[in-house]
Amino acid sequence: MVLHNTTCCISITKYKVFKAMGDQQKVFPVLQMETKKTTTTTPAPTKTELLPVQRPVVTPPAMRNKKGNLCCKILCWVLSLLVIALIALAIAVAVVYFVFHPKLPRYEVNSLRVTNLGINLDLSLSAEFRVEITARNPNEKIGIYYEKGGHIGVWYDKTKLCEGPIPRFYQGHRNVTKLNVALTGRAQYGNTILTALQQQQQTGRVPLDLKVNAPVAVKLGKLKMKKIRILGNCKLVVDSLSTNNNINIKASDCSFKVKL
């Protein structure tokens, strides 16, 4: 009995020891895992981890837009200068207009004379005219320089019959000048043109165009301005084109414009 009890006590004691050991074995791994987890989430800092971190260089927006802002400034300056130039030009034109009161010169065809109109050996039409024109300068403060290169031409139905140079001269304020210009020329298809002119002459109304191209320079006070051109077109109706005879101008309609 004593042995049996002793054996039972020893067995109970071993069971308790083993149970305690088992409980310790069950709890110990959990504590070890928590400790491991804690050590991995908060590692101790080392010298290698304290090195400065290089960050990418970001260009400031002002540096990126510097070129665009420069182009905008240049464009604004150009537009400003253009507006200023236009305003200055408008002021200058207004001053000239209100101070000098510029007017276009006027021209009148006084007479037209045919000295030669016939067929050449090459079947071209030879024409020689003399035309007298009156040029009037109605301006009180503006003079006109008629420069080299001006000419007057006589046309029939889009065909130039003859042409002559306008002489160089200066026309003063409110001046009236008469120009006597000799015109000569040749035209192809002489027989066709002469036949058409003779048919028109039988009706007593021969239509002609007298065209003027005169380069002139305007003088404002003592200042001589840039050269411009006066372009004119006079639509004439004459009764005949008989040579060496007085020709009656039945109608004359002239228009002129300035070409800068």
Side-chain angles (χ1 to χ4, degrees):
M1 293 296 292
V2 175
L3 291 173
H4 178 74
N5 291 335
T6 303
T7 304
C8 290
C9 291
I10 293 171
S11 300
I12 292 170
T13 303
K14 288 181 178 182
Y15 173 77
K16 291 180 178 180
V17 171
F18 289 151
K19 183 178 181 181
M21 291 178 63
D23 294 338
Q24 289 180 359
Q25 288 178 357
K26 290 180 181 179
V27 174
F28 179 77
V30 175
L31 293 175
Q32 186 177 7
M33 290 179 64
E34 290 179 356
T35 305
K36 186 178 182 180
K37 181 178 180 181
T38 304
T39 55
T40 54
T41 53
T42 56
T46 60
K47 293 184 178 180
T48 58
E49 293 178 351
L50 296 177
L51 293 176
V53 179
Q54 295 183 356
R55 299 180 180 179
V57 179
V58 180
T59 305
M63 296 296 292
R64 292 199 300 264
N65 297 331
K66 184 176 180 181
K67 186 175 180 180
N69 293 336
L70 180 61
C71 294
C72 291
K73 289 181 179 179
I74 293 175
L75 181 60
C76 291
W77 275 105
V78 171
L79 292 177
S80 301
L81 292 176
L82 181 60
V83 171
I84 293 172
L86 291 176
I87 293 174
L89 180 61
I91 294 174
V93 171
V95 169
V96 170
Y97 180 80
F98 288 107
V99 172
F100 293 96
H101 301 286
K103 299 177 182 177
L104 280 175
R106 296 193 298 266
Y107 303 92
E108 298 175 1
V109 181
N110 300 329
S111 63
L112 181 66
R113 187 180 182 88
V114 180
T115 57
N116 181 27
L117 186 64
I119 302 298
N120 299 315
L121 294 177
D122 58 356
L123 300 180
S124 63
L125 179 66
S126 178
E128 296 180 6
F129 290 12
R130 295 195 70 89
V131 60
E132 184 182 271
I133 295 178
T134 299
R136 301 178 185 273
N137 180 11
N139 297 283
E140 296 181 359
K141 301 178 181 180
I142 298 176
I144 301 175
Y145 288 93
Y146 285 83
E147 303 288 353
K148 184 179 178 180
H151 54 83
I152 299 174
V154 174
W155 296 64
Y156 171 74
D157 193 21
K158 299 182 181 181
T159 300
K160 183 169 66 175
L161 301 178
C162 51
E163 186 178 74
I166 299 175
R168 296 180 62 184
F169 68 98
Y170 171 74
Q171 190 173 27
H173 310 155
R174 288 186 170 275
N175 178 264
V176 178
T177 303
K178 290 186 177 182
L179 305 175
N180 199 329
V181 182
L183 313 178
T184 59
R186 286 192 175 188
Q188 299 297 324
Y189 311 105
N191 285 326
T192 303
I193 297 173
L194 185 59
T195 301
L197 289 172
Q198 290 173 351
Q199 290 176 357
Q200 290 287 342
Q201 186 171 337
Q202 291 176 1
T203 64
R205 297 180 65 87
V206 181
L208 298 174
D209 289 336
L210 190 143
K211 298 183 180 182
V212 178
N213 189 335
V216 300
V218 177
K219 183 180 180 182
L220 302 176
K222 295 183 179 181
L223 180 63
K224 187 176 180 180
M225 305 298 291
K226 182 181 177 181
K227 186 187 297 185
I228 59 176
R229 284 188 176 271
I230 297 178
L231 304 178
N233 186 14
C234 293
K235 295 185 177 298
L236 308 176
V237 177
V238 299
D239 59 351
S240 69
L241 292 177
S242 300
T243 58
N244 298 319
N245 289 327
N246 293 327
I247 297 175
N248 183 23
I249 300 176
K250 291 187 174 183
S252 176
D253 182 14
C254 297
S255 61
F256 296 89
K257 63 180 180 179
V258 174
K259 182 179 180 181
L260 299 178

